Amino acid sequence: MMTNGEMSRLGVYFYGNMLRIVEAQSEKDALKIVRIAETKTENPFDFNILEDQTVYPEFVSAINNLVEKKGIMPGNANLALDHRMVIEQVVSFDSDLNDSILQEHLEWEMNQFLISPRDDYNIDFEQITSLKSGLDRYLVVAVRKKLIKFLTDIFNKSILNLTKIDLDKLAAVRALDITQPQNSVVALVDCEEKNYDITLVYNGKFLLSDAVIYSDNDLHSEDMNHVALDLSQLLDRLVGQIKDSIHVDNFRTVYFFGDKFNRKLLNDFEKLSNSYQAVYLNPFQDVQLELDLDSQNLVQEYSERFLYCLGMVV
């Protein structure tokens, strides 16, 4: 039970057939994690749900049942949005552009990548680390309005109050910066089904990202030695893009996390690469915990699956 002065907030994440929630309490600058929970949903969280009105009650029930069953305090919820559900692009513009001209440039750039009419999307952007003097860089994200409406509708019918939506990658960077702050370049590798997403982080800020994708090759996606080689080569290419602008001599740490994290990949990556150090990312290792038994079990077994949720409460 919360004491006077404490505030509770929730970090929520949908991934495939999983719904995950982290509950945090804070008093002044102190953060304490008190609940970690997950449940399966009948339908996966993907674009198909946007065309099927019958799935609304299922997701509402999943939220309500998980909150009630696990004793989570109903209240404000911040959602990390799966990056596979958005269109994202990094763009650069002259630093001296005024706001209106900048907005025009951002709109024009995103229109080159949108697969549907512009009116179908909400577009937002965040300034990120510059790589060249006189040029500002931005991460631009386009989200289908249908998806925003779906999420708004299910939370409006649930016992939680949706207060914020952010890209999961940015949530991960934020969690890393708070729990394990870095003063150089590091990499995050999200191990997913047939997908390994790499995000480079510099001084606690998003730098750039790319992915190794095996959508058409099940064999390679299960071969950890092959995956390790592909990841190492992609990291080399990403470093090549930034080495003329950012000091990368101290870049060694590569954090691994995600639903399909495999310790064999960690070992194979370490054996293969002399340039990088593979590290299992437990996002809760430097966070104050006050957990019930179920939450403790999840932290011990699957803490690497809750990085995005944590990033939405820090």
Side-chain angles (χ1 to χ4, degrees):
M1 181 176 295
M2 289 189 296
T3 60
N4 289 338
E6 286 185 330
M7 297 183 62
S8 178
R9 56 184 181 269
L10 307 176
V12 182
Y13 187 57
F14 287 104
Y15 173 80
N17 287 85
M18 300 302 300
L19 162 63
R20 297 194 172 102
I21 298 178
V22 165
E23 180 184 359
Q25 293 176 2
S26 61
E27 184 173 9
K28 297 181 180 178
D29 294 330
L31 179 76
K32 177 174 62 180
I33 305 299
V34 296
R35 294 286 188 282
I36 298 169
E38 67 177 9
T39 189
K40 285 188 176 181
T41 58
E42 182 178 346
N43 287 286
F45 184 75
D46 58 26
F47 283 118
N48 293 326
I49 61 176
L50 303 183
E51 308 302 329
D52 186 358
Q53 301 291 322
T54 65
V55 302
Y56 278 82
E58 176 199 334
F59 284 91
V60 174
S61 295
I63 293 171
N64 290 348
N65 291 341
L66 186 61
V67 169
E68 292 171 353
K69 181 180 179 182
K70 298 300 182 180
I72 295 169
M73 182 72 67
N76 293 338
N78 298 332
L79 177 76
L81 185 59
D82 188 340
H83 57 274
R84 297 169 302 171
M85 300 286 283
V86 309
I87 297 174
E88 58 180 286
Q89 188 68 25
V90 173
V91 296
S92 299
F93 302 114
D94 290 339
S95 302
D96 58 357
L97 296 182
N98 62 43
D99 289 345
S100 61
I101 298 297
L102 173 62
Q103 189 68 45
E104 290 179 8
H105 280 51
L106 289 167
E107 288 281 343
W108 187 89
E109 287 285 351
M110 284 309 293
N111 277 324
Q112 311 309 305
F113 300 97
L114 298 180
I115 57 177
S116 298
R118 166 65 179 88
D119 288 344
D120 291 349
Y121 296 89
N122 283 345
I123 293 179
D124 201 358
F125 62 92
E126 180 170 317
Q127 188 168 353
I128 58 177
T129 305
S130 176
L131 294 178
K132 187 177 180 180
S133 178
L135 284 179
D136 290 338
R137 295 172 72 239
Y138 299 87
L139 174 64
V140 191
V141 177
V143 186
R144 286 186 180 273
K145 291 179 180 178
K146 277 187 177 182
L147 177 56
I148 300 297
K149 184 179 186 305
F150 176 87
L151 291 168
T152 302
D153 286 347
I154 63 173
F155 275 92
N156 283 344
K157 295 171 184 175
S158 78
I159 58 179
L160 300 183
N161 176 35
L162 182 61
T163 53
K164 182 180 180 180
I165 300 175
D166 203 358
L167 185 64
D168 56 6
K169 293 180 183 180
L170 297 181
V173 171
R174 196 159 51 242
L176 185 70
D177 185 47
I178 293 295
T179 61
Q180 300 173 52
Q182 311 288 326
N183 58 6
S184 61
V185 177
V186 297
L188 291 167
V189 178
D190 182 3
C191 307
E192 303 176 354
E193 186 74 43
K194 300 182 182 180
N195 246 55
Y196 293 84
D197 280 270
I198 297 177
T199 298
L200 291 192
V201 183
Y202 178 60
N203 288 346
K205 302 294 183 183
F206 177 93
L207 189 57
L208 74 165
S209 63
D210 207 336
V212 174
I213 301 174
Y214 299 104
S215 55
D216 298 322
N217 198 321
D218 287 338
L219 180 61
H220 284 171
S221 68
E222 299 298 326
D223 182 347
M224 292 300 102
N225 189 264
H226 188 96
V227 172
L229 178 61
D230 287 344
L231 287 173
S232 180
Q233 291 175 343
L234 177 54
L235 277 167
D236 287 343
R237 291 197 295 273
L238 293 177
V239 169
Q241 295 177 31
I242 64 172
K243 65 180 182 180
D244 292 336
S245 305
I246 292 176
H247 183 67
V248 295
D249 290 349
N250 294 329
F251 171 36
R252 284 190 49 78
T253 306
V254 181
Y255 291 103
F256 287 79
F257 70 101
D259 272 60
K260 299 302 179 181
F261 169 77
N262 186 324
R263 288 198 177 274
K264 186 177 187 309
L265 172 59
L266 210 66
N267 296 332
D268 287 352
F269 187 86
E270 279 267 285
K271 292 176 183 176
L272 179 71
S273 175
N274 295 321
S275 302
Y276 310 112
Q277 177 189 8
V279 177
Y280 164 67
L281 178 55
N282 174 1
F284 300 105
Q285 69 178 29
D286 294 318
V287 179
Q288 183 183 353
L289 303 176
E290 190 175 296
L291 305 175
D292 58 18
L293 183 58
D294 287 346
S295 297
Q296 289 178 26
N297 290 336
L298 280 176
V299 167
Q300 291 171 3
E301 296 292 331
Y302 303 115
S303 63
E304 69 277 0
R305 299 180 181 181
F306 290 87
L307 180 66
Y308 294 138
C309 291
L310 180 63
M312 297 307 297
V313 297
V314 296

